Amino acid sequence: EQVLAYLQSHTDFFKQYANELADLSLPSGEGNVISMAQWQTQTLREQAQSHQTRLEKLLSQAASNQKTHDKLFNLVMHWLAQNNEQALPALIERDLKRSFGLDAVKVLVWRESNRSVLYPLGSAWSDNLVAHTKSLHKPYCGPAKGFAAEYLLNHNTASLAMIPLWHAREHECVGVLLLASNDVQRFTTDMGTHFLHTIGLMAGAALSRVDAVVMPEHLSIKHAD
C-alpha cells in the first residue's frame, strides 16, 4: 500500500528512473507484473533506438572525416612532388580552393630575419600583421573583422579562417594562410580548429622551402608542374 501510494503521488517515477527500471529482472506472470515488463521492454527498445541513431551519426562523421583526411593527404603528396619551390604558394592556393570549395584562398609568405615578404610580389612588410599572426595560439575562425591580412583577399568575405604557418623545424612563423567564404556559417567562432591547424602545419612545412621573392607565374621562367 505504501509503494502504491508513493507511485500515485510521484507520477514521474518511471520516467525519472527509466534506466534503473530497465535493469530490473522481472518475472512474467499475472496482473500488473506484465505491465511492468512491457514498460521495461519499451524502455529497452527506446534505448536501443537511441544507441542506433548515435552509432549511425558516428559512422557518418567517421566517413566524412576519412574523406577529408584523404583530400588533405593527396594535397600534401602534390605539394611534396613540386620540384619548383617558388611555385608552391600559388599551387597551395589553387589546391585548397578547389578541394574544399572555398570562395577565396590567399597565402602570405615572409622571412622575419630580413623583414621581407616573399609572396605575393609587391606586398609590404607589416609588423602588425606578423605580430598578430604569431599571437594566434590556434587558427582564427569567424566573421571578417578588418584584420590587416584581409587586404590580400580582394574579396567580400562573410567568414574566414586565419591560419599561422610555422616552419617545420625551427618553430618560426613563415606566413599566414587565409581561407575565405561568402557563407557566414562556413567559419564560426565555435567550430573545431584541429583540422585547420593540421593544414597550417603541412602548408607551413612546404612553404618553408621558399627562400626568395616569388615572381608571378606569367613573369616566371619556370611554371608549376
Side-chain angles (χ1 to χ4, degrees):
E1 291 177 353
Q2 289 178 341
V3 171
L4 289 175
Y6 178 86
L7 293 176
Q8 288 171 349
S9 61
H10 296 79
T11 55
D12 63 341
F13 175 84
F14 293 110
K15 290 184 179 180
Q16 185 176 357
Y17 295 98
N19 292 332
E20 288 78 3
L21 288 171
D23 292 333
L24 288 177
S25 178
L26 299 175
S28 60
E30 301 295 333
N32 291 333
V33 173
I34 297 298
S35 297
M36 182 68 75
Q38 290 174 342
W39 174 274
Q40 184 184 64
T41 300
Q42 180 62 29
T43 299
L44 289 173
R45 285 175 178 171
E46 291 175 354
Q47 289 179 342
Q49 182 60 45
S50 176
H51 292 159
Q52 179 65 27
T53 300
R54 185 168 182 269
L55 177 60
E56 290 174 354
K57 289 182 178 179
L58 289 173
L59 291 174
S60 176
Q61 185 61 50
S64 176
N65 289 343
Q66 184 62 50
K67 185 177 180 180
T68 301
H69 174 272
D70 291 343
K71 279 185 180 181
L72 184 56
F73 178 80
N74 290 332
L75 291 182
V76 173
M77 293 295 291
H78 192 203
W79 300 343
L80 289 174
Q82 174 57 256
N83 294 323
N84 180 9
E85 63 273 10
Q86 301 305 98
L88 276 170
L91 177 65
I92 288 173
E93 289 174 343
R94 290 195 301 269
D95 280 352
L96 290 175
K97 184 177 181 180
R98 181 184 66 252
S99 296
F100 297 104
L102 296 161
D103 294 301
V105 175
K106 199 63 185 177
V107 167
L108 184 68
V109 184
W110 62 65
R111 284 295 175 270
E112 193 170 2
S113 57
N114 58 6
R115 296 166 59 86
S116 62
V117 177
L118 308 182
Y119 180 88
L121 183 69
S123 297
W125 175 266
S126 170
D127 287 329
N128 290 336
L129 191 156
V130 174
H132 177 231
T133 302
K134 293 171 63 176
S135 72
L136 296 176
H137 299 294
K138 63 179 183 178
Y140 166 81
C141 295
K145 292 185 176 182
F147 295 124
E150 288 182 33
Y151 80 93
L152 295 165
L153 294 169
N154 192 24
H155 178 270
N156 294 326
T157 302
S159 64
L160 62 83
M162 182 182 301
I163 308 169
L165 302 175
W166 294 94
H167 192 289
R169 297 180 303 276
E170 300 175 7
H171 197 63
E172 173 191 1
C173 187
V174 299
V176 63
L177 171 63
L178 299 178
L179 311 179
S181 174
N182 294 329
D183 181 3
V184 70
Q185 295 299 322
R186 180 66 186 270
F187 299 107
T188 58
T189 55
D190 60 345
M191 70 184 298
T193 59
H194 177 75
F195 179 69
L196 295 175
H197 177 68
T198 301
I199 290 178
L201 291 176
M202 293 181 174
L207 292 169
S208 64
R209 295 162 54 193
V210 179
D211 57 7
V213 175
V214 178
M215 297 292 289
E217 289 188 49
H218 67 283
L219 298 179
S220 301
I221 297 176
K222 294 183 178 180
H223 295 273
D225 292 338

